[in-house]
Amino acid sequence: MYHYTDFDRAFVSDRAAMFRTQVARRLDGSLSEEEFRPLRLMNGLYLMLHAYMLRIAIPYGTLNSAKMRQLAMIADRWDKGYGHFTTRQNIQFNWPKLPDVPDILEALADVEMHAIQSSGNCIRNVTADHFAGAAADEIEDPRPTAELIRQWSTDHPEFAFLPRKFKFAVIGSAQDRAVSKMHDIGIRLVRDARGEKGYELSIGGGLGRTPMVGRVLRGFLPRGDLLAYLEAILQVYNVLGRRDNKYKARIKITVHETGLDRLQEMVEARFLLQRTRFDGSDQIVLAAIERDFAEPDYQRLTSDAFDAAYTKNGAFRSFVDTNITAHKQPDYAIVTVSLKAHGATPGDASSDQMRLLADLAQKFSHDELRVSHEQNIILPHVPKALLPALYAGLRDGRLATANIGLISDIIACPGMDYCDLATARAIPVAQDIARRFDSLKIERDIGPIKIKISGCINACGHHHVAHIGILGLEKHGVESYQITLGGDATETARIGDRVGPGFSADDILPAVETIIYTYLAHRLDPEEQFIQTYRRIGLPVFKTALYGQKEQSRAA
Amino acid sequence: MSKNPNDRGLVITASALLEGDVVYLDAAKHWVRHLDRANSFPDTETARQALDAQDQRDVIGAYLMDTRPAPNGGLEPVHFREDFRRTGPSNRFLGKQADPLVQER
């Protein structure tokens, strides 16, 4: 894991100290809210419905036990005993008081964390595959590249006032677990015909009111050219980006309006110039970062304990079957810990749960944790032999819910329960769906499915790329929920199809149930997953099931 | 400006500078934490004048919200967003709903 250099430490501490003076000046009236607002947003401090909200970056989703314990301490000391992990590998505290925020930032700096650039029209937290460094299918750990981009983009004067916010995701394998195609720039490590490692760059992906799937701008970029190429893209965007209209200011619109070919020409021309300004020192920095991400010192243990527990304990077997992913070391496992116990708020973790996860990571996962964009926690390096002991620890802390990838493993943004921008609630919809299918006892029968819920058109809940996407809107003064089907967040990214008119808060759960029973009735066999059935039979069958039924219930 | 129909009123609301907590303006021109204590203005013009004249140093983003008489007396917000603001999140018992002052009602 990357550790701060003296430069990083001084920079982050200075920023925390600077914010302390800014808060003091706001409190004594020297700064108006208009003057203070951009300063607080630069430090991740938002004003939400009931209180301030502090958004803290978790670069490429990587934490160790010390960081997780500090987050638990912050939750207890300055918040209300919990935090919310978001779809962009951040954590949000929902109740900080303004005078306390400088202390929180200082506490974060103590463990090499910060909230810088978690808001504003700048390059935001760089996300990565949450299985990075552990996945069996990866070419290389994407996190050193993500860290290089974090360092390059932090406080970069040329890119501090972009037309709009700008999001990067980096992956190291063909399988896309980081929704990279829906980012302003998605970076994928690839090999060329000679086996040389380089990057494939996608551009112009994004959700929100105009969802678009990213398109490949450069199929293969030599590794050493990355930062020069990124600067070329951002320079072109800085000039072309629509500063006249907030809703047209993201680079996806620039790509759409300019055309990919023309944009490509402009970027390539700029790149030739920009490349001469790099002398290779960035590659020396990258090499040093890579050393920080050296693989853990793997333990070699016999798997007898695992085999015995798997045979004897049904609950453990269920947990293994859903929450475990293959590790690149055959005698290791990647464990996903669900923050979606049926009826819980997706992504919320109490301070007790954070401390337990920190303890378990230290004991069983080489002191590493990850936060996934799906709002779960990953223990990336667990020896298979220790899985029974880890499971027992999770179970005792009510964290052994075996539902990863199933219908109750739902993404939901904070929605109108917290968010100032929301048009409807998202969390209670997720809670209701999870509880309902748990009570029906058909969750495992339904199999893998992705439900994602947003409480407004900005789509923090990724509804566009869900198998079943739910968008909460306001219609005639009440909450109304629009459904999309067939979206895909992976390497075959696709925007879902809208089924038709929205459903009221009371009707949304029955509507989801109708969709699920329609799938179950039409699937060829239990092996055919929801998304496969949808692709085979298409939207009309579901549409008829939904709206036909609605008419019938009205008549009755 | 004409009166609001159906006995609707307007309340001045904002967020407190220190906590970000929802506040309302009362008849004595103090920022108070609970809607029941807020002053209701009969029309936009009067409310706007009161807002312009009000000291806003301790609050952020003051605006006018629509209210109507609650069935059990007092005021209630017309829009559901304002109902969440005066109550707190629906997934956790936190915010104003967990405030002992509200419990006394």
Side-chain angles (χ1 to χ4, degrees), chain A residues 1-3 62-66 69 133-134 143 292-301 327-329 331-335 357-370 378-386 390:
Chain A
M1 163 180 272
Y2 179 74
H3 285 291
T62 298
L63 290 170
N64 60 15
S65 61
R69 284 199 191 96
R143 291 174 301 163
D292 267 355
F293 286 96
E295 290 196 46
D297 197 4
Y298 294 117
Q299 294 170 267
R300 294 290 169 240
L301 302 167
H327 194 281
K328 62 184 173 187
Q329 296 288 324
D331 52 352
Y332 267 69
I334 303 171
V335 177
L357 287 163
D359 291 346
L360 295 173
Q362 206 165 14
K363 209 165 163 187
F364 298 111
S365 182
H366 295 266
D367 203 28
E368 256 202 58
L369 303 112
R370 307 288 173 73
I378 284 97
L379 299 174
H381 307 294
V382 182
K384 271 188 188 162
L386 301 181
L390 168 65

Side-chain angles (χ1 to χ4, degrees), chain A residues 8 12 84 115 122 141 195 210 274 280 326 361 373 439 447 521 552:
Chain A
D8 294 320
V12 172
H84 176 75
C122 55
D141 190 337
T210 321
Q274 212 55 25
H373 81 269
S439 72
Q552 279 164 22

Side-chain angles (χ1 to χ4, degrees), chain A residues 341-343 407-408 430-444 446 509 513 517:
Chain A
H342 301 95
I407 196 163
S408 59
Q431 291 174 307
D432 287 349
I433 294 171
R435 282 198 202 102
R436 176 65 180 153
F437 285 96
D438 188 40
S439 72
L440 289 171
K441 302 293 170 210
I442 56 169
E443 187 166 21
R444 283 178 180 275
I446 297 163
L509 177 60
E513 227 176 294
Y517 279 105

Side-chain angles (χ1 to χ4, degrees), chain A residues 163-164 209 241-250 253:
Chain A
R164 198 76 179 86
R209 68 183 60 220
R242 293 277 302 269
R243 288 172 192 270
D244 62 314
N245 185 340
K246 185 181 168 183
Y247 302 118
K248 292 185 175 176
R250 294 290 290 269
I253 305 294

Side-chain angles (χ1 to χ4, degrees), chain A residues 435-464:
Chain A
R435 282 198 202 102
R436 176 65 180 153
F437 285 96
D438 188 40
S439 72
L440 289 171
K441 302 293 170 210
I442 56 169
E443 187 166 21
R444 283 178 180 275
D445 192 358
I446 297 163
I449 186 165
K450 304 281 186 192
I451 298 186
K452 304 176 201 265
I453 310 170
S454 304
C456 82
I457 199 160
N458 294 307
C460 293
H462 293 194
H463 64 277
H464 296 296

